[in-house]
Amino acid sequence: MKKTKTITLLIAFAAIAAYIGSASCGNGAGGNKANVAVTDSGHVKTPLSPVLPFDVTLPTSHFVLEGNVRRSFDVFSWDSFIAICWPAQGHSVIGQFGDNPTVWETWKKNYEVFLANGLPPSPWDVTLQSKEANLSQTGKTPANMTFVFQPFLTGPLIDQNGQYNRFEIAMNKEMFDYIDTHKLYNIQGQQAFTDTVSFPQGDNTKKTYGAVMVKASWKVLGKGDDTSRFHKVKAIIHTLALPSKGIRDSSYEAWVGLVGLHIGTRTKISPQWIWSTFEQVDNAPDLGKAVNGKHYNYYNAAAGDKALNKAPAQPWNAGIPGQIPSQVARLTPIDTGTQALNDSIHKLLVAINPHSVWQYYQLIGTQWPVHPTQSNTGDPFPVYMANATLETYDQGSVVNGKIVYSPGVTSSCIGCHNASVTWAGRPADFTYLLKSAQSLKK
Amino acid sequence: MDNSTKQYDVVIVGGGWAGSALAYRLASANKRVLVLEAGIAIDGLITNPDENQLVTGNRAEFMNDFFMAMAKTPESPYVQNYNAPRPAVLDIQPIPPFTQDNPVQLPAGAPPPATIDCADPKASIDKGYFIQRGPVPFGSTYERRGGGTSWHWLGTSLRMLPNDFKLKTVYNQAVDWPISYEDLSDYYDQAEFEIGVSADVDEQQIHGITFSEGYVYPMAKIPATILDNTMDAGLAGKTFDGSSLKVTGTPAGRNGVPNQMKNGEFYDNGRRQCQGNTNCTPICPIQAKYDATVTMAKALMTGNVEIIYQAVATNIMLDMTTMEVNGVVYKTYETTGGPCTGTFTATGTKYIIAAHAIEAAKLLLMSNTQIPAGIANYSGQVGKNLMDHPMYLGWGLMPKPVYPFRGPLSTSGIEGTRDGTFRSERASFRIEIGNEGWNWPGGAPYNQVIDMVSPMPPDQSGTPTVGIFGTALRQSIQSNFTRQFRIGFLIEQLPDADNCYIVPSKTCFDNLGVPRPEIYYDFDVYTMEGFKAAAAATDFIFDTLGVENNTGVPVGNGGVFEYEGVKYYAQGAGHVMGTHRMGFTRDDSVTDANMKSWDHDNLYIVGCGSMPTTATSNPTLTMTALAFKAADAILQSID
Amino acid sequence: MTLDEFVSLSAALTGYPVSTLQPVPDTQQIAATLFAELNLASNNIPAAQLDELTQVWNSISATPPPDLPAAVQEKIIENLAITRLAQNIIYLWFFGTWYDLSKNPNSFTSPNIDHVVSPLAYTNGLVWGEMGAHPMGYSVGQYGYWANVPTLPQIN
């Protein structure tokens, strides 16, 4: 990862912030506003860092699960988010010019690793991949976006303009290398692999990186959207044919805005991975707390709450005109400590540039295994975790005005990913990616 | 909602197993299909956005209801719906005047007089939806909602045996099917692919079953449990009444490791692999087990299907000139306890009733405003020949731990007992091996822990009693419960038009005013001899394995009867068959071999009710094969 | 009764150490969830019974561990005034269920207030792991685990 000499590590900064935060709940690190100075050479000083953390930095004493322990994982999440959303090229800092192509968009997408004919993927080429990401952002070679369904066909997500959300998955070099080296990129390779799948773990002591995978949720920008509030790329939107409704295969170019980002990182402290999830701030209100007059990406007060968090009517095809927008509310509010950290990071982003798009992204939460050796899942905390744009329909249920969670069904990153397997039916180390592999055609 | 101005190619009554399979096949062939489902919608499976404003259900809610239920019965995840009510196992009781101490002696004479008070539909349904006339209570239940009974099926996907289709010819019992195993073989392939069945084809060629050249099941056999292997080792080479007691893996609609199929493709249905939640019945938390919503989703994705939920069919209308069906009248409701909100008529070119054996027959008989005997009933066989697989349970303690409550509810069985010359004299059976200890017969682990911690006082009162606790309790559980196991015998029934049938009640109605099913049910000597053999087989198997036999009075004791001085406790298997059977002629059957009504050229009646005899295999796979066969026939008749 | 007293009493009644019943850190919060049942008015727990159980427990809780089970047996289990309440605590932990105190738990006398405390109370029920299994309907096992012999939890 790139390093810039004038940058101090966010980790150290956040440790101070956490100390302050735990003593006076809610103040976060706000009292220590960083000074952002622009040097003569145009470099921007900020405590925010492009350096991806290897692993979480746990508190050294007096562990409070919902206090300083959660904070340390949330800090890890923000460190990761900032680092992977850092500009992919050049010497600017994150959001310095408002928006920027990101590091994670230079990573290989799942369809670039698991090819249609099962052949080996092309080697990791960071220069080439960066160039492509940059071109994507400027609209020259837009990214292909086809996937519309949330896991296990729970449903598509439809915005206020009747447009389907698009989903993308990408992985970092460490994850790619493991798949490539062990030939897990096709079905036959996975069947031949009899070891236990074990992706690299980030390690603070050895200073090595672990596997990182991201899942992004994009909305097509359109009427009613304030585009200055989104990280944007140009995309080719593919729609599949549906003959019964007279819909043909089609593609068109459009600007899409990032509305959700999952980050999964495997580390030594968390072999069941650390699961971080972010959303654009305008996605959905907390249940029952819609603000009058505010524009939400996936909520319209006038539509009422009877269809809340329910999948749209079938057939699910992005080409059908006039579809009813999804009505989404967040059932579990963001933890106040997490929100305080969000506020403090936002201040730092605004200090770089008041028009930074990145100030409009918030950490929903981080899930991690609290007792990794205790069981397959390692006793995850928080018990449930959902991103309103990626697990919209699995957040829990509202029964007589109360939120009800069902263990094993309501969204839990680790709970669900624990069931992931390879094509040989063996555990896939918490990723469903390996099931995208195709058969090597003779 | 009013669809009476729309014209469909096919109207299907029933959005459950058969209805979903048929909707999918027909929609994939570009036919415009309307499905009427009596029960609530399932999230993600609606075609009219307005349905999202009504009551809908989803797996998370069902799981929550299951977790919070004291009695974890097949119905426990699925709240009762008074406008589309369903039976419950907790309601199965001996029929008055018979009791536990004074059980019905079989063979019995006429059924006892009716004693049911159904003045208040909801209160009465809470005590049991069926109007049980007996003399034996009908022991099986079903669901009425999107996906139907598939929500709580076990997953067992066995093919019938060739002789099962020829019971009359080979054993001079009951009737033959108008089709052979060979007629259905290709459809079995298709059914196993649609469901996604895990099995090892080499193990499944039993009793004459053959597979197409190079056939591969979609997924590999589910690994056997420690119990399976223990029984397999202990029963090696043993026989009972001439039947091998070899233990075989049970094909199941449950995700295992994908196979490369005959066409070179690797099977992938996108769902998770089994994690051994040991909860197939009543509900799989992760949908590793197939349910009909999988197929209904595919049907809806074609864009050729519309589905109306909370639409209860009440009358099938005929054009009296052509004798073809020209409409299905249905009632709608907004809430599961609220009033009727409208009456509408659905029209199509072809009509399919796929409403589950009892509800389908009930609908046909209820539809008597034009023909007094009801629709499709020239033969008089509609509602008749009601059959189940009454089950005998045996349970005990293995000499060494077998570690129950792990893995799917059942992974293996003993299939050797399903066929043989004895079928001229007594019912055959299949032996299902249960991985859930004494849960079904004994309420394990709860009842046994309570027996140790708070033993029941002799007067059955709430007087406190002294029991064990702490380390002693833990040791007891570890040494004792780990040896629990049970077997279950699925016993064949023969069709008996005179004693086993359903009629729409003339006096008892649900909340919509729709008649409830009145059920007359009995066991004949053929089946009771099967029970007798099952008990003897249990003794032999347990003896051979060194099992401490704990078979006694099961928790579900409502199916008690006495035969030759011995008390038996029949359990329903959830397999409801026979009520609209196929046959050779219109004189003694309701449909032809394609499930087309003999009487009405554009009416098909599809489901386990189509089966003229029960065999001993769980009927669901066969129902799927029949549904695909019917779909082909319907498509041919349209084109 | 305080939460701490409830947990230490529960350890004595269930035979599980406090560190299992109230792990550190505690993600499931089962001890607090089950403890709340003792303060639920709808459970109809006579105050005198709860007080007596608390007092008796406090009077023996410092007993040296080898002698504690005998003390629990004599002072609590064989004390019919409070034995049902103590047994209910065992059921809370083993099943996640509260049984109506006025009837035997295996009786179906109706109406009654038997109820499952919560889905997490059920999925954390101890009886299942005791057998080397998991609650029916909730498994974190991986495919095929059922072919392998499990390790049963240690009994001290």
Side-chain angles (χ1 to χ4, degrees):
Chain A
M1 289 291 142
K2 279 177 47 172
K3 290 186 191 190
T4 309
K5 294 191 202 94
T6 53
I7 288 172
T8 55
L9 290 176
L10 176 63
I11 295 166
F13 177 85
I16 301 165
Y19 177 82
I20 296 170
S22 60
S24 52
C25 203
N27 275 1
N32 229 16
K33 209 185 274 206
N35 293 320
V36 177
V38 182
T39 66
D40 293 337
S41 58
H43 281 236
V44 170
K45 274 175 86 161
T46 172
L48 296 174
S49 167
V51 179
L52 189 69
F54 304 112
D55 199 342
V56 64
T57 299
L58 290 170
T60 46
S61 67
H62 192 58
F63 294 89
V64 179
L65 183 70
E66 284 155 346
N68 60 1
V69 179
R70 190 206 304 260
R71 171 60 75 111
S72 65
F73 281 92
D74 283 351
V75 164
F76 172 86
S77 294
W78 265 114
D79 284 352
S80 302
F81 181 86
I82 295 295
I84 69 176
C85 293
W86 204 267
Q89 293 175 321
H91 301 290
S92 60
V93 304
I94 184 168
Q96 184 173 336
F97 303 112
D99 197 356
N100 55 264
T102 67
V103 166
W104 71 264
E105 286 160 312
T106 71
W107 293 352
K108 280 190 185 278
K109 306 265 162 48
N110 55 348
Y111 55 81
E112 294 168 323
V113 179
F114 303 103
L115 303 182
N117 46 19
L119 287 176
S122 59
W124 190 275
D125 180 344
V126 82
T127 316
L128 179 63
Q129 285 155 218
S130 299
K131 225 159 108 178
E132 281 169 0
N134 200 50
L135 291 172
S136 238
Q137 227 238 332
T138 54
K140 295 228 171 68
T141 52
N144 280 302
M145 298 203 184
T146 314
F147 298 110
V148 294
F149 295 127
Q150 297 193 8
F152 311 120
L153 296 180
T154 37
L157 181 63
I158 303 181
D159 72 11
Q160 299 300 310
N161 297 322
Q163 295 296 313
Y164 277 37
N165 255 41
R166 302 286 160 155
F167 304 102
E168 268 195 319
I169 301 176
M171 69 186 82
N172 73 346
K173 181 172 190 298
E174 280 73 11
M175 190 160 187
F176 171 80
D177 282 345
Y178 186 88
I179 292 170
D180 199 31
T181 307
H182 298 289
K183 300 194 184 347
L184 301 177
Y185 43 75
N186 59 39
I187 293 177
Q188 287 79 359
Q190 290 180 25
Q191 290 179 329
F193 184 77
T194 49
D195 283 348
T196 305
V197 175
S198 179
F199 286 96
Q201 300 176 347
D203 191 320
N204 280 335
T205 322
K206 294 186 190 159
K207 299 203 191 307
T208 51
Y209 286 110
V212 182
M213 51 187 183
V214 301
K215 187 169 187 183
S217 176
W218 298 94
K219 97 185 253 333
V220 179
L221 294 170
K223 182 162 176 283
D225 292 324
D226 177 353
T227 59
S228 70
R229 294 169 76 88
F230 294 87
H231 166 62
K232 295 172 286 299
V233 295
K234 200 78 177 295
I236 302 182
I237 308 295
H238 292 279
T239 294
L240 298 177
L242 187 64
S244 62
K245 303 288 187 199
I247 293 167
R248 306 221 185 99
D249 270 347
S250 66
S251 305
Y252 67 98
E253 280 184 14
W255 284 98
V256 295
L258 185 70
V259 288
L261 192 71
H262 275 337
I263 308 171
T265 313
R266 189 157 200 244
T267 78
K268 183 148 188 289
I269 291 173
S270 299
Q272 287 94 347
W273 302 56
I274 300 174
W275 305 82
S276 318
T277 196
F278 291 80
E279 285 185 37
Q280 201 266 359
V281 294
D282 304 322
N283 282 343
D286 284 358
L287 181 69
K289 299 254 165 56
V291 174
N292 246 328
K294 178 176 159 60
H295 166 82
Y296 294 99
N297 296 330
Y298 304 103
Y299 184 85
N300 172 8
D305 281 359
K306 286 226 173 112
L308 199 65
N309 297 345
K310 290 189 191 176
Q314 291 265 14
W316 294 334
N317 183 286
I320 297 175
Q323 293 192 56
I324 295 178
S326 301
Q327 186 75 331
V328 180
R330 187 185 316 290
L331 297 190
T332 308
I334 297 172
D335 171 74
T336 50
T338 307
Q339 194 53 57
L341 180 61
N342 290 345
D343 293 342
S344 64
I345 304 288
H346 290 160
K347 290 196 171 77
L348 298 178
L349 290 163
V350 166
I352 294 171
N353 180 339
H355 299 295
S356 170
V357 301
W358 301 107
Q359 66 181 296
Y360 301 112
Y361 290 91
Q362 58 184 352
L363 173 64
I364 305 303
T366 315
Q367 191 189 56
W368 73 96
V370 174
H371 292 107
T373 54
Q374 177 190 86
S375 62
N376 288 341
T377 45
D379 194 21
F381 183 80
V383 176
Y384 308 104
M385 175 80 59
N387 182 306
T389 71
L390 289 155
E391 290 86 34
T392 313
Y393 311 111
D394 287 318
Q395 299 184 56
S397 314
V398 183
V399 178
N400 296 329
K402 288 177 69 175
I403 300 164
V404 169
Y405 304 103
S406 295
V409 190
T410 299
S411 178
S412 156
C413 322
I414 292 176
C416 171
H417 280 253
N418 178 48
S420 60
V421 290
T422 68
W423 274 96
R426 294 189 273 268
D429 192 9
F430 294 88
T431 178
Y432 285 94
L433 271 172
L434 297 185
K435 269 317 263 291
S436 336
Q438 309 282 315
S439 174
L440 183 64
K441 300 277 193 280
K442 297 206 166 92
Chain B
M1 73 128 19
D2 185 0
N3 274 48
S4 43
T5 53
K6 284 196 182 186
Q7 182 67 12
Y8 296 89
D9 293 319
V10 188
V11 173
I12 305 179
V13 175
W17 195 290
S20 301
L22 285 154
Y24 179 49
R25 266 298 159 85
L26 298 168
S28 300
N30 289 317
K31 301 305 165 203
R32 298 210 44 78
V33 178
L34 172 68
V35 177
L36 299 174
E37 167 52 46
I40 61 169
I42 303 302
D43 285 1
L45 289 180
I46 60 168
T47 52
N48 176 356
D50 290 345
E51 303 256 27
N52 261 349
Q53 302 290 317
L54 300 177
V55 176
T56 59
N58 60 50
R59 193 171 305 265
E61 283 169 22
F62 302 160
M63 284 301 299
N64 185 66
D65 287 337
F66 162 78
F67 285 134
M68 297 302 288
M70 281 298 297
K72 305 236 191 286
T73 62
E75 288 72 52
S76 53
Y78 314 111
V79 174
Q80 180 66 281
N81 176 345
Y82 298 104
N83 289 326
R86 51 100 179 104
V89 297
L90 289 177
D91 300 326
I92 299 165
Q93 295 300 333
I95 294 169
F98 303 114
T99 62
Q100 287 296 322
D101 297 325
N102 173 33
V104 59
Q105 314 269 319
L106 295 180
T115 60
I116 293 177
D117 172 13
C118 51
D120 175 350
K122 289 181 193 171
S124 173
I125 287 168
D126 281 343
K127 295 201 183 79
Y129 168 56
F130 288 154
I131 311 301
Q132 300 266 23
R133 298 300 310 276
V136 173
F138 188 73
S140 284
T141 62
Y142 49 90
E143 267 307 316
R144 296 172 75 188
R145 64 184 59 213
T149 314
S150 71
W151 279 98
H152 65 66
W153 79 306
L154 172 53
T156 301
S157 301
L158 285 160
R159 299 189 179 200
M160 283 169 59
L161 314 171
N163 278 349
D164 287 336
F165 295 87
K166 302 183 287 201
L167 213 54
K168 180 70 175 172
T169 302
V170 179
Y171 299 112
N172 197 29
Q173 291 287 356
V175 296
D176 286 347
W177 287 48
I179 54 176
S180 67
Y181 175 84
E182 288 66 38
D183 292 329
L184 219 47
S185 178
D186 277 351
Y187 289 111
Y188 272 135
D189 288 7
Q190 294 170 30
E192 283 158 359
F193 182 78
E194 179 59 28
I195 293 167
V197 175
S198 301
D200 176 1
V201 71
D202 290 335
E203 264 195 313
Q204 298 303 322
Q205 290 163 88
I206 51 169
H207 294 300
I209 286 182
T210 53
F211 290 86
S212 51
E213 175 84 24
Y215 182 74
V216 183
Y217 274 94
M219 293 170 284
K221 166 180 169 173
I222 307 270
T225 56
I226 296 165
L227 171 63
D228 295 335
N229 292 329
T230 304
M231 291 191 65
D232 188 27
L235 294 174
K238 301 289 182 202
T239 63
F240 172 79
D241 204 9
S243 304
S244 161
L245 292 178
K246 180 169 156 48
V247 171
T248 318
T250 305
R254 185 177 295 119
N255 273 7
V257 180
N259 279 334
Q260 184 172 26
M261 306 200 63
K262 221 158 81 166
N263 63 2
E265 296 290 314
F266 285 86
Y267 179 79
D268 184 15
N269 58 33
R271 305 194 327 268
R272 279 168 281 190
Q273 223 162 268
C274 179
Q275 284 187 286
N277 276 279
T278 323
N279 212 53
C280 322
T281 303
I283 179 171
C284 176
I286 62 172
Q287 208 179 32
K289 181 194 80 170
Y290 171 90
D291 66 73
T293 64
V294 171
T295 302
M296 181 56 83
K298 287 156 66 175
L300 300 184
M301 278 292 285
T302 64
N304 284 322
V305 180
E306 280 179 51
I307 181 164
I308 306 176
Y309 291 94
Q310 299 179 196
V312 183
T314 54
N315 204 356
I316 301 169
M317 306 303 301
L318 295 177
D319 175 333
M320 292 305 284
T321 331
T322 62
M323 292 309 271
E324 291 205 353
V325 175
N326 64 7
V328 173
V329 179
Y330 61 95
K331 291 186 165 170
T332 58
Y333 57 92
E334 207 168 280
T335 61
T336 58
C340 173
T341 52
T343 305
F344 307 95
T345 306
T347 51
T349 308
K350 305 280 176 183
Y351 296 80
I352 307 174
I353 312 300
H356 197 282
I358 288 175
E359 296 297 326
K362 190 190 87 178
L363 173 61
L364 293 169
L365 293 171
M366 267 164 64
S367 304
N368 60 6
T369 49
Q370 293 165 296
I371 304 178
I375 299 290
N377 201 18
Y378 171 85
S379 63
Q381 297 298 307
V382 173
K384 298 220 168 123
N385 311 301
L386 173 68
M387 298 171 287
D388 191 354
H389 286 129
M391 287 186 69
Y392 176 89
L393 298 180
W395 62 100
L397 290 178
M398 281 280 186
K400 294 211 177 79
V402 288
Y403 304 103
F405 298 98
R406 305 169 79 238
L409 281 184
S410 179
T411 36
S412 301
I414 294 168
E415 315 296 332
T417 53
R418 288 168 60 190
D419 197 18
T421 51
F422 55 80
R423 292 177 91 180
S424 310
E425 312 298 325
R426 66 148 172 96
S428 61
F429 45 72
R430 110 163 248 268
I431 308 178
E432 173 189 274
I433 297 172
N435 290 325
E436 79 287 24
W438 298 354
N439 180 260
W440 186 0
Y446 308 96
N447 292 24
Q448 291 70 29
V449 169
I450 293 169
D451 281 341
M452 292 195 284
V453 172
S454 319
M456 180 74 81
D459 62 355
Q460 314 262 317
S461 72
T463 308
T465 54
V466 173
I468 65 175
F469 70 99
T471 304
L473 172 63
R474 294 190 59 194
Q475 279 163 349
S476 195
I477 294 172
Q478 289 202 6
S479 64
N480 192 291
F481 291 26
T482 50
R483 297 184 292 128
Q484 282 185 8
F485 81 108
R486 67 101 182 147
I487 52 179
F489 293 73
L490 282 78
I491 301 171
E492 197 172 9
Q493 261 200 290
L494 297 180
D496 181 353
D498 296 326
N499 296 305
C500 298
Y501 60 95
I502 75 117
V503 289
S505 173
K506 293 194 167 67
T507 52
C508 295
F509 306 91
D510 66 21
N511 196 57
L512 273 186
V514 173
R516 288 155 63 182
E518 208 166 284
I519 307 189
Y520 295 80
Y521 189 62
D522 199 2
F523 298 139
D524 61 14
V525 172
Y526 190 80
T527 292
M528 290 186 292
E529 283 294 317
F531 270 92
K532 199 165 143 191
T538 301
D539 287 341
F540 176 74
I541 290 170
F542 283 17
D543 239 10
T544 307
L545 297 172
V547 165
E548 180 191 310
N549 192 342
N550 290 85
T551 306
V553 181
V555 167
N557 59 7
V560 62
F561 69 92
E562 210 168 279
Y563 175 64
E564 292 183 345
V566 176
K567 258 191 192 171
Y568 297 93
Y569 298 90
Q571 311 288 322
H575 303 161
V576 192
M577 299 169 276
T579 52
H580 49 79
R581 68 183 189 181
M582 64 169 88
F584 294 92
T585 78
R586 73 187 299 233
D587 291 317
D588 66 353
S589 60
V590 178
T591 74
D592 64 14
N594 287 322
M595 276 125 308
K596 183 163 78 103
S597 159
W598 295 108
D599 307 346
H600 314 289
D601 213 47
N602 65 343
L603 178 66
Y604 293 76
I605 312 160
V606 185
C608 293
S610 303
M611 301 173 64
T613 59
T614 68
T616 50
S617 40
N618 310 49
T620 305
L621 182 72
T622 300
M623 165 170 56
T624 312
L626 292 177
F628 287 154
K629 186 175 199 298
D632 275 357
I634 293 167
L635 288 172
Q636 263 182 24
S637 77
I638 294 181
D639 299 330
Chain C
M1 190 183 288
T2 66
L3 176 59
D4 282 344
E5 286 164 347
F6 172 72
V7 175
S8 57
L9 169 59
S10 297
L13 289 172
T14 62
Y16 278 87
V18 168
S19 57
T20 301
L21 304 184
Q22 200 174 37
V24 177
D26 189 349
T27 62
Q28 311 284 300
Q29 296 285 311
I30 295 304
T33 304
L34 299 181
F35 176 63
E37 290 289 313
L38 291 187
N39 297 310
L40 214 51
S42 50
N43 283 342
N44 297 328
I45 305 169
Q49 270 187 36
L50 187 53
D51 286 344
E52 184 175 345
L53 179 58
T54 309
Q55 279 170 39
V56 169
W57 170 245
N58 284 333
S59 76
I60 62 172
S61 61
T63 311
D67 306 320
L68 185 57
V72 171
Q73 170 79 18
E74 189 200 324
K75 294 274 164 42
I76 298 179
I77 300 296
E78 290 173 3
N79 178 350
L80 294 187
I82 55 173
T83 190
R84 270 297 288 115
L85 183 55
Q87 291 164 353
N88 254 26
I89 292 176
I90 295 175
Y91 301 133
L92 278 177
W93 286 100
F94 273 81
F95 304 149
T97 300
W98 177 267
Y99 288 96
D100 192 313
L101 286 170
S102 67
K103 67 167 187 58
N104 184 280
N106 263 341
S107 155
F108 297 115
T109 306
S110 192
N112 66 60
I113 53 156
D114 293 348
H115 61 274
V116 176
V117 171
S118 75
L120 279 181
Y122 170 79
T123 59
N124 283 278
L126 296 169
V127 66
W128 310 97
E130 196 76 80
M131 302 185 277
H134 59 84
M136 294 171 86
Y138 184 77
S139 163
V140 299
Q142 267 143 5
Y143 183 75
Y145 76 80
W146 49 88
N148 307 320
V149 174
T151 308
L152 302 188
Q154 204 185 359
I155 303 176
N156 291 318

